[in-house]
Amino acid sequence: MNCPNPSDVAENLQWPWPQTWPSHRFPLRLGVMASGEGSNFEALVAATRDGPLRAEVVRLVVNNAACGASARAERLGIPCQCLDHRAFPSREDLDGALIAAFQAAAVDLVVMAGWMRIVTPRLIEAFPDRLLNIHPSLLPSFRGLDAVGQALAAGVCLTGCTVHLVRPEVDSGPILAQAAVPVKCGDDASTLAARIHRQEHRILPLAVALAAQRLESGDQG
Ligand code: GRF
């Protein structure tokens, strides 16, 4: 397992909107689900520790103990639990274990930050309007797997990333935040994904604050 470079997320983060940051009254307890490198997970932690997000990441759940996200959790001192999807007979059973993990940690919101499993209504209904997902495209374009490859294959000049509330249809639900990213001449999946990632790290904490503000104001629209 590669231990990620401690500076690969935090050094790139800036907080350009301190005056306009969405306000929510209560500090949040956040749960995060991740399957991969975990750079978005780290960006969230950085936003709570060095940035304007009034929250604490109290639990990370991964589905693969050797993923980069779990190494980051260890470095950052965040409790991490592995729920290996292969150990569960169905998606609903895995989601039941996720619910138990996050309820035990008394989380207010759950963020799917690169969770590479389809979730079921069981999880969505356990956290109504409290389950967020980040996707590397300007939804509703390029849902599903390999959104960056889909954008390159389509020849678009502009793509980006989206954070949305989770609904049962994959990569759908009310949009909380988006950022547009240009596709440049000579881009391949790796250069374009890196450019998108930098924007993801900015909008994910913002979207969490917006979701909290939305819940407090009772706006379910
Ligand atoms: C991100 O591009 C996110 O949009 C997608 O999975 C990727 C996770 O990246 N859902 P990381 O593991 O946070 O670095």
Side-chain angles (χ1 to χ4, degrees), residues 167-185:
R167 296 290 185 265
E169 196 183 336
V170 170
D171 297 326
S172 74
I175 289 172
L176 295 165
Q178 289 187 305
V181 169
V183 181
K184 296 189 178 173
C185 276

Side-chain angles (χ1 to χ4, degrees), residues 37-62:
E37 273 307 306
S39 68
N40 281 290
F41 157 68
E42 180 162 356
L44 268 183
V45 175
T48 65
R49 292 183 178 176
D50 310 316
L53 183 59
R54 283 208 311 132
E56 183 185 358
V57 179
V58 294
R59 175 68 52 100
L60 172 71
V61 175
V62 299

Side-chain angles (χ1 to χ4, degrees), residues 112 114-118 133-151 159-160 162 164 168-173 196 200:
M112 293 166 54
W115 180 254
M116 297 307 287
R117 312 294 307 167
I118 291 174
N133 181 48
I134 183 159
H135 184 75
S137 77
L138 289 175
L139 290 172
S141 294
F142 311 132
R143 289 181 168 138
L145 289 176
D146 192 19
V148 176
Q150 290 185 54
T159 183
T162 303
H164 63 96
E169 196 183 336
V170 170
D171 297 326
S172 74
I196 293 171
E200 289 187 331

Side-chain angles (χ1 to χ4, degrees), residues 118-133:
I118 291 174
V119 299
T120 69
R122 184 174 182 189
L123 181 66
I124 297 167
E125 285 161 17
F127 297 100
D129 284 336
R130 293 166 186 268
L131 182 64
L132 281 61
N133 181 48

Side-chain angles (χ1 to χ4, degrees), residues 61-141:
V61 175
V62 299
N63 63 322
N64 167 13
C67 71
S70 80
R72 288 179 198 264
E74 193 175 346
R75 171 163 54 74
L76 295 165
I78 307 280
C80 176
Q81 181 174 352
C82 180
L83 296 174
D84 185 338
H85 56 279
R86 290 162 293 202
F88 294 88
S90 69
R91 292 188 196 281
E92 283 77 12
D93 289 314
L94 172 60
D95 284 358
L98 282 159
I99 294 166
F102 288 127
Q103 285 181 344
V107 303
D108 300 302
L109 291 176
V110 178
V111 180
M112 293 166 54
W115 180 254
M116 297 307 287
R117 312 294 307 167
I118 291 174
V119 299
T120 69
R122 184 174 182 189
L123 181 66
I124 297 167
E125 285 161 17
F127 297 100
D129 284 336
R130 293 166 186 268
L131 182 64
L132 281 61
N133 181 48
I134 183 159
H135 184 75
S137 77
L138 289 175
L139 290 172
S141 294

